[in-house]
């Protein structure tokens, strides 16, 4: 009876997820109207900028200035009924929100580049080259740590740039074109938010700079989306050209400062294969009879063995080491035997619902990985809550930094213990085998951190997010990817990491 009850609950869960996606798709067709414009956002604490005014923009021309009036006249000639159907569709697409759409585009790129390099004729695995990104293998290999980092820097750049934009919006207080001239009939809902600088242009330029650095082979695609986003604001009658130009200037300057931090965070040394012999020696000194080894043929070098050395966002290195999970069970212990027998039983009698959960949460090659999965949940929740652009960026920045910190903390743990995977004991998986040590589970760590942050922002959905995290964690057991301990400790670790992001969010001045 319990089996059928669990199966019924699982089906309901999947049906709920599908229903949410369908409902969101329908709502995306309607004009997006934020519940609050967050007038005080210009005073919120930023991540990289020392203050919202660290980057300056010039004061705009007054609404009675001849130059501005000329821009208004030009806008009248652009807006409907002169637009094509394609232009109207573009306006509607970007009308869902620039932060929402650029996060979506980043996830699409992550999925496109999530393909591990294949072995060459010599039996070696070439490393993607950032200086020649379109060569085989393409740069980057968008694995979970890479995606967590890309989305973190994207969201931080968007957030810092928008806090600065809000500061200048209310400092200069230039009203929207349709307020200045009633003859302009915008295609998107107008609000009381001042129009200079354009928040969409700020987000577009900041996103372009970050994503071009993360996916350097996608320059033409990203440029087309940048222009599309800016044009949509003109076509919709929402901004004049000087609003957009100021937004581009501000967004680009803030993103440049964020990239200075990115270039110094240690990611360039995250694939230091020379460090692995010492890691293996430490593992054996800790008492492990067997250490992790690649199960591929030819053996593949471990994925980013020194990613655990990359700088974290919401706590320091000493804290990273202090919260590192304790040593896992050693082969031959009673606890190890218990976990092994559980996986043996699943391998022998895996249920349909277990297989469904394992596959749903696989997030393997060709997907935007667990960090992208949680960003989708966050973006959709923010959209449903009618967040303003700056509030959406804020939520995704805390989620993004927590996910990156979770990746760093998990990889630090994995390569500190270098523990073997179940496949080294004859167990088989049907959902793909990750190429790095077992303890702790990345899915569990990423998911618990994501659930902790999103539950703080959307407390009415906390039980849902926590159930997703638990199911994501269980999926790795059902797929025979991880030992039970990998997952339970990963959930605990991720929750602690998420708590640091939540603590920081509570101190940034936002309500």
């Amino acid at each position: 009876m319990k089996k059928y009850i669990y199966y019924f609950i699982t089906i309901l869960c999947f049906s709920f997820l599908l229903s949410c996606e369908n409902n969101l798709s329908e709502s995306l067709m309607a004009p997006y109207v934020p519940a609050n414009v967050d007038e005080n956002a210009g005073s919120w604490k930023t991540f990289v900028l020392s203050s919202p005014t660290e980057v300056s923009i010039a004061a705009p021309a007054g609404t009675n200035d001849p130059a501005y009036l000329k821009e208004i006249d030009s806008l009248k000639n652009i807006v409907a009924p002169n637009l094509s159907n394609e232009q109207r569709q573009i306006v509607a697409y970007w009308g869902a929100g620039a932060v929402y759409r650029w996060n979506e585009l980043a996830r699409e790129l992550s999925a496109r580049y999530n393909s591990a390099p294949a072995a060459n004729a010599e039996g070696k695995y070439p490393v993607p080259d950032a200086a020649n990104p379109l060569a085989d293998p393409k740069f980057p290999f968008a694995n979970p740590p890479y995606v967590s980092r890309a989305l973190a820097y994207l969201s931080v750049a968007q957030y810092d740039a928008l806090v600065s934009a809000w500061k200048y919006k209310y400092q200069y207080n230039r009203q929207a074109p349709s307020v200045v001239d009633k003859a302009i009939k915008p295609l998107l809902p107008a609000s009381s938010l001042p129009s200079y600088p354009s928040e969409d242009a700020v987000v577009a330029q900041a996103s372009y700079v970050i994503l071009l650095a993360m996916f350097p082979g996608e320059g033409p695609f990203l440029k087309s989306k940048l222009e599309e986003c800016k044009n949509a604001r003109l076509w919709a009658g929402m901004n004049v050209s000087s609003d957009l130009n100021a937004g581009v200037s501000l967004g680009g300057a803030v993103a440049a400062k964020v990239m200075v931090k990115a270039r110094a965070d240690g990611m360039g040394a995250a694939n230091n294969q020379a460090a692995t012999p010492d890691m293996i020696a430490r593992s054996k000194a800790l008492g492990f009879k067997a250490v992790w080894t690649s199960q591929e043929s030819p053996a593949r070098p471990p994925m980013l063995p020194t990613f655990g050395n990359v700088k974290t966002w919401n706590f320091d290195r000493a804290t990273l080491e202090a919260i590192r999970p304790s040593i896992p069970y050693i082969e031959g212990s009673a606890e190890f035997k218990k976990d092994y027998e559980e996986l043996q039983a699943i391998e022998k009698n895996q249920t349909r619902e277990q297989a469904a959960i394992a596959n749903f949460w696989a997030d393997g090659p060709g997907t935007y990985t667990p960090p992208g999965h949680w960003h989708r949940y966050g973006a959709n929740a923010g959209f449903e809550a009618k967040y303003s652009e700056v509030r959406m960026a804020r939520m995704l920045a805390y989620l993004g930094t927590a996910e990156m910190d979770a990746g760093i903390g998990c990889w630090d743990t994995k390569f500190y213990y270098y523990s073997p995977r179940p496949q080294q004991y004859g167990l088989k998986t049907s959902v793909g085998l990750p190429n790095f040590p077992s303890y702790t589970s990345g899915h569990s760590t990423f998911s618990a951190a994501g659930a902790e942050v999103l539950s703080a922002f959307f407390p009415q959905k906390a039980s849902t997010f926590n159930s997703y995290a638990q199911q994501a964690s269980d999926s790795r057991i059902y797929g025979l990817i991880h030992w039970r301990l990998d997952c339970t400790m990963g959930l605990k670790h991720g929750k602690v990491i998420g708590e640091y992001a939540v603590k920081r969010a509570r101190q940034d001045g936002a309500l």
Side-chain angles (χ1 to χ4, degrees):
M1 178 62 71
K2 288 183 178 179
K3 171 183 175 181
Y4 292 107
I5 292 174
Y6 185 74
Y7 180 71
F8 179 67
I9 292 172
T10 301
I11 295 299
L12 284 179
C13 182
F14 290 157
S15 298
F16 174 74
L17 288 172
L18 182 60
S19 174
C20 288
E21 292 295 327
N22 290 339
N23 291 339
L24 184 66
S25 296
E26 292 176 4
S27 65
L28 284 172
M29 301 301 292
Y32 185 79
V33 182
N36 191 312
V37 295
D38 289 310
E39 294 96 333
N40 71 331
S43 64
W44 295 353
K45 290 183 180 178
T46 46
F47 278 83
V48 174
L49 295 184
S50 59
S51 74
T53 56
E54 182 179 337
V55 173
S56 62
I57 57 172
T63 54
N64 291 322
D65 188 283
Y68 179 79
L69 294 175
K70 186 176 180 179
E71 287 189 290
I72 288 289
D73 288 339
S74 176
L75 196 62
K76 291 178 182 178
N77 294 325
I78 294 173
V79 186
N82 302 317
L83 298 183
S84 67
N85 288 334
E86 180 183 6
Q87 288 172 320
R88 290 174 181 273
Q89 289 174 0
I90 290 172
V91 167
Y93 170 84
W94 288 103
V99 172
Y100 182 90
R101 289 305 189 192
W102 281 100
N103 184 276
E104 183 179 61
L105 291 169
R107 286 182 277 122
E108 290 176 2
L109 289 175
S110 297
R112 188 184 305 174
Y113 280 84
N114 183 11
S115 179
N120 58 25
E122 299 176 355
K124 297 180 180 179
Y125 294 93
V127 178
D129 182 6
N132 194 10
L134 296 180
D136 185 26
K138 290 185 178 181
F139 179 90
F141 167 25
N143 49 53
Y146 192 92
V147 173
S148 72
R149 179 174 178 269
L151 291 174
Y153 280 105
L154 172 69
S155 299
V156 164
Q158 291 173 342
Y159 171 66
D160 277 21
L162 284 172
V163 169
S164 183
W166 250 247
K167 178 71 174 179
Y168 290 119
K169 278 178 176 292
Y170 286 94
Q171 177 177 327
Y172 296 128
N173 204 31
R174 179 199 268 181
Q175 297 304 301
S178 61
V179 175
V180 175
D181 192 323
K182 301 299 182 183
I184 295 175
K185 306 298 181 184
L187 298 185
L188 296 173
S191 75
S192 62
L193 188 66
S195 67
Y196 181 94
S198 163
E199 65 274 20
D200 290 70
V202 165
V203 172
Q205 189 65 32
S207 301
Y208 171 79
V209 171
I210 300 298
L211 292 180
L212 184 60
M214 300 296 171
F215 300 95
E218 293 295 325
F221 171 76
L222 291 169
K223 188 69 173 179
S224 70
K225 290 301 178 182
L226 171 63
E227 296 305 315
E228 191 180 277
C229 183
K230 292 188 297 181
N231 285 335
R233 300 300 287 180
L234 289 173
W235 298 338
M238 302 300 288
N239 290 112
V240 294
S241 295
S242 56
D243 295 336
L244 296 169
N245 293 339
V248 167
S249 175
L250 180 59
V254 173
K257 289 181 177 292
V258 173
M259 282 308 305
V260 169
K261 177 178 175 63
R263 294 187 185 100
D265 72 358
M267 184 63 182
N271 194 38
N272 181 12
Q273 298 294 329
T276 59
D278 287 342
M279 295 172 174
I280 292 170
R282 178 175 58 211
S283 179
K284 291 179 177 178
L286 289 170
F288 286 91
K289 297 177 182 179
V291 297
W292 174 81
T293 57
S294 172
Q295 299 297 289
E296 298 188 46
S297 183
R300 185 188 293 273
M303 179 193 295
L304 301 179
T306 45
F307 184 72
N309 295 334
V310 172
K311 291 181 181 178
T312 49
W313 287 92
N314 299 313
F315 48 81
D316 59 17
R317 182 71 198 180
T319 301
L320 177 76
E321 295 176 1
I323 65 174
R324 181 190 297 137
S326 58
I327 188 169
Y329 307 142
I330 300 297
E331 180 183 348
S333 66
E335 297 88 351
F336 181 90
K337 182 180 178 182
K338 181 180 178 181
D339 276 12
Y340 180 63
E341 289 174 348
E342 178 185 19
L343 295 185
Q344 280 185 310
I346 293 172
E347 183 179 45
K348 184 177 180 180
N349 297 299
Q350 187 184 61
T351 64
R352 292 178 63 184
E353 59 266 31
Q354 288 173 339
I357 291 171
N359 282 286
F360 178 81
W361 288 100
D363 284 339
T367 73
Y368 39 61
T369 79
H373 203 139
W374 283 93
H375 270 263
R376 185 188 74 184
Y377 285 152
N380 288 351
F383 184 91
E384 291 166 359
K386 301 296 183 183
Y387 273 6
S388 68
E389 289 281 26
V390 67
R391 190 167 289 273
M392 176 75 88
R394 173 178 176 263
M395 178 269 296
L396 291 174
Y398 286 108
L399 174 63
T401 56
E403 289 293 286
M404 183 175 166
D405 285 355
I408 295 168
C410 182
W411 255 246
D412 167 76
T413 304
K414 284 180 178 294
F415 287 93
Y416 186 85
Y417 296 113
Y418 226 88
S419 66
R421 284 190 174 271
Q423 286 64 40
Q424 294 173 239
Y425 297 86
L427 297 163
K428 305 295 182 183
T429 177
S430 61
V431 293
L433 182 60
N435 199 61
F436 38 81
S438 193
Y439 182 82
T440 52
S441 157
H443 271 62
S444 303
T445 312
F446 284 125
S447 296
E452 188 69 16
V453 173
L454 293 183
S455 293
F457 278 88
F458 310 100
Q460 72 281 9
K461 295 185 177 183
S463 61
T464 298
F465 291 130
N466 287 322
S467 70
Y468 290 171
Q470 185 63 60
Q471 193 177 77
S473 180
D474 288 343
S475 77
R476 306 311 272 174
I477 298 166
Y478 299 152
L480 304 172
I481 293 288
H482 279 287
W483 312 101
R484 172 70 65 179
L485 183 68
D486 297 347
C487 296
T488 56
M489 294 302 285
L491 285 174
K492 291 179 180 180
H493 194 201
K495 179 178 173 59
V496 170
I497 290 170
E499 288 171 349
Y500 279 95
V502 172
K503 180 180 179 180
R504 181 172 185 168
R506 288 174 178 155
Q507 299 171 348
D508 71 359
L511 298 177

